[in-house]
Amino acid sequence: MDQRSEEVGMPELSKLSSELIRNDWKLRKNVEPTIHKMEGVIEFPSFLEGKEFISDKELERIALNQGSAYGQGDAEWLFEHQEKLSGCPPEVRHLMFPGTEWEHPNGALLWPYLYRRNKNGEWGLYVFWRDFGFSAKHVRLIHFVPKTS
């Protein structure tokens, strides 16, 4: 295991993480994956009514306030279990996971995200420059609603 991954709590490196670290990226923060352990429903709430653009800082603030700051481990699990994303509205193209942050060798900061590749609902796993900001129409955070007894 790479020491840089141990410093921020990524015990097992995924293929994506291994590739980024091999190319001198640094893992700056990483939350523990939780979605795979829980029973419930994944929602995709629209939190940007009337806005066209959202900055990375505002998106991160909303994620923290809503309890939706999931990280790369959750994104990877959802990538492997794409059927869990079937309720995502068709206009949504990006599901952001700001609980993990990578630093590119040039100093830019990036977040993992799932990108809807086509109308069939197939998703890809990538990282995105966080300081570009985001189109409010096409980006969402996931929100997990635990199953109640």
Side-chain angles (χ1 to χ4, degrees):
M1 180 183 323
D2 189 287
Q3 184 175 355
R4 288 176 286 187
S5 65
E6 289 177 355
E7 292 170 5
V8 291
M10 183 169 271
E12 292 183 37
L13 290 179
S14 67
K15 183 178 177 183
L16 174 63
S17 297
S18 295
E19 182 179 326
L20 295 176
I21 289 172
R22 188 173 48 254
N23 288 303
D24 293 327
W25 292 49
K26 294 180 183 141
L27 186 57
R28 289 292 182 204
K29 71 175 181 177
N30 191 49
V31 298
E32 187 71 29
T34 57
I35 290 177
H36 69 284
K37 300 176 190 175
M38 302 188 289
E39 288 188 44
V41 177
I42 295 174
E43 295 181 342
F44 310 90
S46 177
F47 48 84
L48 301 168
E49 298 300 323
K51 292 187 178 187
E52 291 185 24
F53 178 83
I54 183 168
S55 72
D56 61 325
K57 292 187 184 345
E58 185 176 4
L59 187 65
E60 186 172 41
R61 181 187 56 76
I62 291 168
L64 291 170
N65 289 342
Q66 288 184 349
S68 297
Y70 296 102
Q72 184 170 324
D74 292 308
E76 290 172 353
W77 187 84
L78 287 169
F79 177 70
E80 295 296 327
H81 298 86
Q82 293 190 21
E83 71 278 2
K84 303 285 187 188
L85 303 173
S86 63
C88 189
E91 70 274 9
V92 175
R93 295 185 194 147
H94 302 89
L95 296 173
M96 305 306 296
F97 294 83
T100 299
E101 184 174 85
W102 288 95
E103 183 180 335
H104 187 275
N106 71 8
L109 301 175
L110 297 94
W111 286 334
Y113 74 105
L114 292 172
Y115 175 74
R116 189 187 311 253
R117 294 181 189 182
N118 57 42
K119 293 181 182 181
N120 296 330
E122 295 174 10
W123 296 84
L125 177 62
Y126 306 95
V127 290
F128 191 82
W129 308 95
R130 69 172 274 178
D131 61 352
F132 279 3
F134 309 94
S135 163
K137 178 180 178 182
H138 301 297
V139 70
R140 297 276 170 93
L141 298 164
I142 62 167
H143 184 72
F144 189 82
V145 180
K147 183 178 179 180
T148 57
S149 302

